Amino acid sequence: MSLKIYNSISRQKELFTPLEKDRVTMYVCGVTVYDLCHIGHARACIVFDVIYRYLQFVGYKVIYVRNFTDVDDKIINRANKEKTSCDEISKRYIKTFYEDMNSIGIKTPTHEPKATEHIPEMIDMIKRLIDKGHAYQASGDVMYSVESFQDYGKLSGKKIDELQSGVRVEIDEKKNNPLDFALWKDSKPGEPAWESPWGMGRPGWHIECSAMSQKYLGEIFDIHGGGKDLIFPHHENEIAQSQGATGKKPINYWIHNGFVDINKEKMSKSLGNFFTIREVMKKYPPEAIRLFLLSNHYRSPIDFSNKNLNEAGIVLHRFYEFLDLMNGLVPDNTFEPDSDIMEKFKSAMDDDFNTALALGHLNEFLRQLNSIKDQLKTKKCNDADGLKKKLGEGKKAILRIGKVLGLFLDKPSGFLENFKEKRITELGLNKNQIEEMINARTEARKNKEWQKADEIREGLNKKGVVLEDKAEKTIWKIKL
Ligand SMILES: [Zn+2]
């Protein structure tokens, strides 16, 4: 194996060596279920979905854990606002999460633990932290003492002294140090609460990931992932908790994905500058969202814009058009995937999952295949079988790579049809109108009213619809 991963904690690319030869353990922080997911969430899910798929593709058995944070201030606030229960809010948004993830082709992880179902494990870990002198009780709360943990700040590159001077001095007499964070919180009346050695209360946010990763993956595991915004304080605190409890360094490779920006600002709920996955899918095919996000390296920031999504849709259309043409032309399952493009794909992905480079190679490959296809059509070539073999191997490679990136998974004809429909709706047209105009043009041509026929063609062209006269009838396409 020659996979290199940029490890956030060492700040360099490292050769990936899992704890066990053929098996990878990976934990990724999931969502807090209090609202619909936006494109920023889609990015994190897609990035780790592709990592999950790629690790499997190169032959690992992957144990992938992604949690649901279903107890949190945001959930409580939303429940209060809607005069309903936290349970009702989190159930609702777990349901919409699955709907959205299914539409954008996210594979189900091995385990999807919910925080509320792991309270005993969290209590147990907090007890161990108190015993080891890393945590202290402060009335109904339990606080983690950051000064008790030598490695605090290693992941984020922050030093406790610097952090302290940067902290706004909040008056919280429960904390010995303003950087100390809550492992357990005393709950107010009406809030979700569980029995604990420290009275009725609920867990702090960070402890759930330490307790659940340890339960499903063990005290030490291979990969921990999440958005870059989680490095501090969430992941820093996770290390402090897990390592504090066991004395062992819990995670070998830290992977963090970059943000989706709008006008150079991070897309987020709190800034209000977000687009939900649902909104975007009304206009663009779900795979266009994937292609757009994967066209950038996972650590780079991405500018969200309709223009970029539109372009991604067009690229996708090109691939599906090719695949559609290949149906019938080259038989399935006869060919092995083209080895040259497979090698290029692997070497791009082995370099810290460089999907941007991989897609660049794939686009170039498609251009070559299209020119082979044209050769086959136009020339009286004496090597039709050789060209068909190349096309067959090309198609197989595109589908194989697509499976790893979560692309080209639709039926080509279905994709092309949906694409057309979405686009004409945007152009303010509908299928019937276009068919009527094509009929009127056919009629005009029969009557040799050439000018009228041309006007109809021009009129449609201006609106973005292109007509193509075939032997048996006239078909229409979207101008891309
Ligand atoms: Zn987490």
Side-chain angles (χ1 to χ4, degrees):
M1 299 287 171
S2 49
L3 171 63
K4 282 194 179 131
I5 297 180
Y6 180 89
N7 193 346
S8 311
I9 201 161
S10 68
R11 291 164 187 78
Q12 59 189 15
K13 283 183 198 169
E14 293 174 12
L15 193 66
F16 178 62
T17 317
L19 290 162
E20 284 179 40
K21 201 170 134 278
D22 302 319
R23 186 173 170 269
V24 176
T25 40
M26 174 163 92
Y27 186 94
V28 174
C29 293
V31 287
T32 302
V33 278
Y34 76 107
D35 210 340
L36 292 173
C37 289
H38 58 65
I39 295 296
H41 300 118
R43 183 176 195 191
C45 291
I46 288 170
V47 162
F48 290 100
D49 182 59
V50 168
I51 291 176
Y52 180 37
R53 287 168 185 259
Y54 186 67
L55 291 169
Q56 288 177 320
F57 169 75
V58 294
Y60 290 115
K61 177 177 168 51
V62 186
I63 317 295
Y64 175 22
V65 181
R66 187 188 61 207
N67 68 306
F68 283 113
T69 298
D70 60 348
V71 51
D72 184 86
D73 286 340
K74 289 173 187 153
I75 302 172
I76 296 171
N77 291 343
R78 178 121 197 186
N80 289 341
K81 223 167 103 188
E82 293 190 18
K83 298 191 170 47
T84 180
S85 67
C86 290
D87 195 44
E88 148 66 25
I89 294 292
S90 53
K91 275 203 180 111
R92 184 197 307 163
Y93 290 108
I94 286 175
K95 186 168 168 281
T96 58
F97 175 84
Y98 278 125
E99 288 164 0
D100 291 346
M101 293 307 128
N102 282 336
S103 354
I104 55 170
I106 303 291
K107 279 178 97 173
T108 312
T110 323
H111 303 285
E112 298 175 278
K114 297 186 182 87
T116 54
E117 290 169 5
H118 295 79
I119 305 291
E121 287 86 345
M122 295 186 226
I123 290 177
D124 184 58
M125 190 176 258
I126 297 169
K127 278 194 210 156
R128 282 154 77 196
L129 287 168
I130 295 175
D131 289 347
K132 295 202 166 184
H134 288 298
Y136 56 94
Q137 211 177 323
S139 51
D141 294 0
V142 181
M143 293 288 169
Y144 190 99
S145 162
V146 295
E147 277 167 344
S148 75
F149 184 65
Q150 252 193 351
D151 280 350
Y152 197 81
K154 256 205 169 153
L155 175 67
S156 55
K158 296 177 195 274
K159 295 206 167 68
I160 292 188
D161 314 354
E162 290 165 16
L163 281 168
Q164 269 168 338
S165 60
V167 165
R168 258 180 292 149
V169 185
E170 280 173 52
I171 307 196
D172 190 345
E173 64 265 16
K174 285 178 178 172
K175 293 183 180 179
N176 294 346
N177 180 313
L179 292 176
D180 291 352
F181 57 91
L183 298 168
W184 189 263
K185 296 177 191 177
D186 189 10
S187 53
K188 298 187 197 96
E191 286 181 356
W194 289 264
E195 264 179 57
S196 82
W198 318 286
M200 291 297 283
R202 60 187 171 102
W205 169 34
H206 313 296
I207 193 71
E208 70 180 77
C209 289
S210 285
M212 295 192 288
S213 61
Q214 197 169 108
K215 173 170 177 180
Y216 292 95
L217 302 176
E219 292 181 344
I220 305 175
F221 56 96
D222 296 307
I223 297 175
H224 194 312
K228 212 170 73 175
D229 49 338
L230 297 180
I231 293 176
F232 189 84
H234 185 53
H235 289 162
E236 197 71 75
N237 291 350
E238 257 190 77
I239 297 176
Q241 294 163 159
S242 301
Q243 193 170 332
T246 66
K248 299 169 192 163
K249 282 200 172 62
I251 292 122
N252 288 338
Y253 300 86
W254 282 95
I255 302 181
H256 292 98
N257 67 277
F259 301 142
V260 177
D261 294 340
I262 293 185
N263 302 326
K264 309 264 179 267
E265 241 181 337
K266 181 197 164 204
M267 183 185 289
S268 72
K269 270 306 284 179
S270 47
L271 292 171
N273 61 348
F274 62 92
F275 290 94
T276 63
I277 297 173
R278 292 169 182 223
E279 275 173 291
V280 177
M281 277 195 311
K282 277 187 196 146
K283 281 174 80 176
Y284 304 100
E287 284 192 0
I289 301 177
R290 282 187 88 103
L291 188 90
F292 157 65
L293 294 171
L294 295 174
S295 302
N296 297 269
H297 191 273
Y298 76 85
R299 282 187 282 120
S300 317
I302 296 185
D303 266 321
F304 178 88
S305 71
N306 283 322
K307 188 174 155 276
N308 291 341
L309 270 166
N310 202 30
E311 274 164 18
I314 292 171
V315 172
L316 205 54
H317 189 275
R318 250 182 245 142
F319 278 96
Y320 274 111
E321 213 167 31
F322 172 79
L323 293 171
D324 191 42
L325 277 170
M326 288 306 108
N327 277 342
L329 188 66
V330 291
D332 273 334
N333 301 324
T334 321
F335 301 110
E336 285 299 310
D338 181 283
S339 56
D340 185 43
I341 186 69
M342 292 311 295
E343 274 311 307
K344 281 185 175 156
F345 172 69
K346 263 203 85 211
S347 85
M349 292 295 282
D350 275 349
D351 185 13
D352 193 29
F353 310 106
N354 195 339
T355 54
L357 182 61
L359 282 167
H361 289 320
L362 205 59
N363 276 315
E364 177 51 35
F365 184 59
L366 180 67
R367 267 191 287 277
Q368 291 166 12
L369 291 174
N370 275 327
S371 95
I372 295 176
K373 180 202 76 197
D374 292 342
Q375 270 181 50
L376 191 64
K377 249 205 293 193
T378 53
K379 265 198 210 160
K380 278 235 179 318
C381 61
N382 39 24
D383 188 22
D385 284 346
L387 296 183
K388 277 190 184 172
K389 179 168 180 274
K390 276 203 167 134
L391 291 173
E393 289 170 346
K395 174 188 167 187
K396 199 68 183 261
I398 290 177
L399 292 174
R400 180 72 57 88
I401 291 170
K403 223 173 146 187
V404 182
L405 300 177
L407 296 171
F408 324 128
L409 302 176
D410 285 348
K411 234 177 110 187
S413 54
F415 173 89
L416 295 170
E417 204 47 44
N418 279 337
F419 189 87
K420 249 174 146 178
E421 272 183 36
K422 274 193 181 127
R423 289 294 285 265
I424 54 168
T425 315
E426 254 187 90
L427 296 170
L429 293 165
N430 69 51
K431 264 185 176 173
N432 289 344
Q433 278 176 325
I434 298 174
E435 289 299 336
E436 273 169 31
M437 290 172 86
I438 290 178
N439 290 341
R441 177 169 168 271
T442 312
E443 199 55 34
R445 293 175 81 203
K446 261 190 207 154
N447 302 332
K448 300 200 161 49
E449 299 171 79
W450 307 117
Q451 198 185 338
K452 188 177 170 194
D454 282 350
E455 275 167 18
I456 295 174
R457 174 199 281 273
E458 277 309 299
L460 279 169
N461 196 296
K462 265 187 202 144
K463 287 183 178 152
V465 174
V466 190
L467 300 187
E468 256 177 49
D469 294 317
K470 300 272 178 188
E472 62 285 15
K473 63 174 199 168
T474 301
I475 60 156
W476 62 273
K477 285 184 172 173
I478 295 290
K479 192 155 65 177
L480 294 173

